[in-house]
Amino acid sequence: MKREHGEVLEDFAPEWDPPSPGELIQTELDATGRTQADLADRMSISKKHLNQVIKGASLTPEFALAVERALGLSSRLLLKLEAEWRAFRLAEDARADLAQHVGWLRNFRSEELIRRRIVAPGDDAPTRVEKLLRFFGVSDPAAYERISLKLQASFKRSSAYTIDEHATALWIQLAVRQANSIAMSAPEHDAMRLRRVAKQLPSLTSRDPAQAFVELQADLLTAGVILVYVEEVPDTRVSGVSLWLQADRPMIAVTGRYKFADSLWFAIAHEIAHVLHHLKRTTFLEITADEMEERLHHGDSSDPHEIQANSYASELLMAGLSEDELSAVATTAELVEIADSVGVGPGVLAGQYAHLTGDYAKFGKLRVKANLSALGVTAA
């Protein structure tokens, strides 16, 4: 069985209740007609000590060896049984503790957890809590609050709109898990190489978006940057994120919120700018309300990091054209000719023109739809 990053192979709920070593010792005493007092004498221990182990106290290797010599039970068997019995009791106690966290589970849509295969339809509430904690890589909801939600406090957002912070944490973790499966085999981050790769982005924009995305993924990986696509989780308003993984590799993740390829390329260029120019341990999350999405290229934030990232993306995709030159384009044929001359997809210039002038209809037919759904990993 292939083990995914962070996956625990053992089932959470044990399927059988193993006997304790003490129960096995007492069974053997009953079968042979011997007493606890007799065995205690033969083991050179107190009857009280023996009785405590028989009732469930911990069994040490030295104790197991003494039982083997005095009673004939295998010390290896006793120690293996001790480990299994303790693990079973630990799991049972954990299930009891998890019951108090069922309220936390309600922060997440169960249908979304099932669809992403984080939990199974037949799982009871404690099992779902356990699986969700393992998914986030934390021991309890308090740790989730400190790590997953604390991360969101540092987000540089392109929108001030209220979002579902738990749905956002779920999407980010899906992206991180997908990226982590690649990160350990990725080369070290190379900023100079990233700049060279970024300069090739305009030439990819004239290609089929899905094919170009795959090619860009491979090119960015050579610079130690992991680019992933993860289908949007409802109620997040997330369009993209850039952050640094524990493997010290930058990750860029995007969703299917973009309807047009030019918006997708702009968002990726925007996140590349964050990786190149901004604080290494800051997470930049781009969140756009549906009615604000057409402002993506200029954002609705006054944050200087966002302004700089938007400027970088615009300049990169304009391929040397000035805003005045693009705004002055009069016909579709002229726009296509200019796009060919500078080596960028006409749809990209059409999108830039729309954002500069507010006229989305004039060159709207040149904007290409982007569908990356075939590339996404929706499972945990």
Side-chain angles (χ1 to χ4, degrees):
M1 179 185 296
K2 180 181 178 182
R3 182 181 179 188
E4 301 296 337
H5 178 84
E7 180 184 2
V8 177
L9 296 182
E10 294 83 0
D11 290 335
F12 166 60
E15 297 180 355
W16 65 291
D17 186 351
S20 70
E23 290 174 324
L24 183 59
I25 292 170
Q26 185 60 57
T27 298
E28 184 65 14
L29 287 173
D30 293 341
T32 58
R34 298 166 68 176
T35 65
Q36 290 186 21
D38 175 62
L39 180 59
D41 284 342
R42 292 174 182 275
M43 294 174 60
S44 294
I45 62 172
S46 69
K47 181 182 175 181
K48 179 180 178 181
H49 184 188
L50 176 60
N51 184 257
Q52 287 175 332
V53 172
I54 287 176
K55 289 184 175 180
S58 296
L59 178 146
T60 65
E62 293 79 12
F63 189 99
L65 182 58
V67 171
E68 182 176 60
R69 290 170 177 169
L71 192 59
L73 286 176
S74 166
S75 59
R76 288 188 178 185
L77 173 62
L78 289 172
L79 290 172
K80 181 179 180 182
L81 200 57
E82 169 78 7
E84 291 177 346
W85 189 72
R86 295 293 168 194
F88 179 88
R89 292 301 164 204
L90 181 63
E92 287 293 291
D93 291 344
R95 283 181 63 80
D97 291 340
L98 289 171
Q100 65 182 306
H101 300 314
V102 171
W104 172 71
L105 180 65
R106 298 191 188 104
N107 289 316
F108 305 89
R109 290 188 179 189
S110 37
E111 66 271 18
E112 191 67 17
L113 297 180
I114 292 170
R115 191 170 74 86
R116 306 280 179 160
R117 298 206 290 274
I118 298 169
V119 304
D123 290 338
D124 60 17
T127 300
R128 290 189 178 195
V129 172
E130 171 71 14
K131 288 184 174 181
L132 193 56
L133 290 173
R134 291 184 181 187
F135 169 77
F136 281 110
V138 295
S139 62
D140 52 46
Y144 162 82
E145 295 282 340
R146 286 194 303 272
I147 296 174
S148 295
L149 295 190
K150 182 180 178 181
L151 180 66
Q152 295 192 48
S154 67
F155 286 159
K156 304 297 184 182
R157 294 176 175 171
S158 66
S159 174
Y161 287 82
T162 301
I163 63 165
D164 185 323
E165 60 184 0
H166 300 287
T168 303
L170 183 70
W171 179 81
I172 291 173
Q173 185 66 4
L174 285 165
V176 167
R177 286 168 70 94
Q178 184 179 339
N180 274 333
S181 67
I182 304 168
M184 297 310 296
S185 60
E188 292 186 6
H189 173 54
D190 184 338
M192 292 184 62
R193 173 66 182 167
L194 177 57
R195 288 185 174 89
R196 291 196 295 270
V197 171
K199 290 179 181 179
Q200 303 304 312
L201 178 56
S203 65
L204 292 175
T205 62
S206 59
R207 306 259 302 279
D208 172 77
Q211 293 178 357
F213 184 88
V214 171
E215 185 171 333
L216 182 60
Q217 275 183 313
D219 289 343
L220 287 173
L221 192 59
T222 66
V225 179
I226 294 94
L227 172 65
V228 296
Y229 165 82
V230 179
E231 181 184 342
E232 183 182 11
V233 172
D235 301 325
T236 60
R237 301 180 185 272
V238 171
S239 57
V241 67
S242 59
L243 57 80
W244 288 75
L245 303 169
Q246 291 183 353
D248 210 31
R249 304 291 189 276
M251 176 197 85
I252 294 173
V254 293
T255 71
R257 173 168 284 270
Y258 305 105
K259 298 178 176 67
F260 295 98
D262 59 281
S263 292
L264 171 68
W265 302 131
F266 185 93
I268 293 174
H270 179 104
E271 301 303 338
I272 288 174
H274 285 317
V275 173
L276 283 172
H277 301 298
H278 301 142
L279 295 175
K280 186 174 182 179
R281 289 303 169 193
T282 301
T283 297
F284 294 91
L285 181 72
E286 314 310 327
I287 302 174
T288 55
D290 291 338
E291 65 271 18
M292 299 294 290
E293 194 156 11
E294 293 298 348
R295 299 186 186 180
L296 177 63
H297 288 226
H298 294 292
D300 62 348
S301 170
S302 59
D303 188 285
H305 295 92
E306 295 302 310
I307 294 172
Q308 184 182 13
N310 285 333
S311 296
Y312 172 90
S314 292
E315 291 173 7
L316 178 65
L317 294 175
M318 294 270 285
L321 286 178
S322 70
E323 292 185 354
D324 289 340
E325 288 175 314
L326 182 58
S327 299
V329 175
T331 67
T332 298
E334 184 182 358
L335 185 69
V336 171
E337 182 179 355
I338 292 174
D340 289 342
S341 68
V342 298
V344 68
V348 169
L349 293 188
Q352 288 288 326
Y353 179 91
H355 291 293
L356 285 172
T357 66
D359 185 351
Y360 290 87
K362 186 171 184 177
F363 301 125
K365 291 183 178 180
L366 292 177
R367 299 182 72 194
V368 178
K369 292 290 183 68
N371 182 7
L372 303 183
S373 59
L375 306 178
V377 177
T378 60

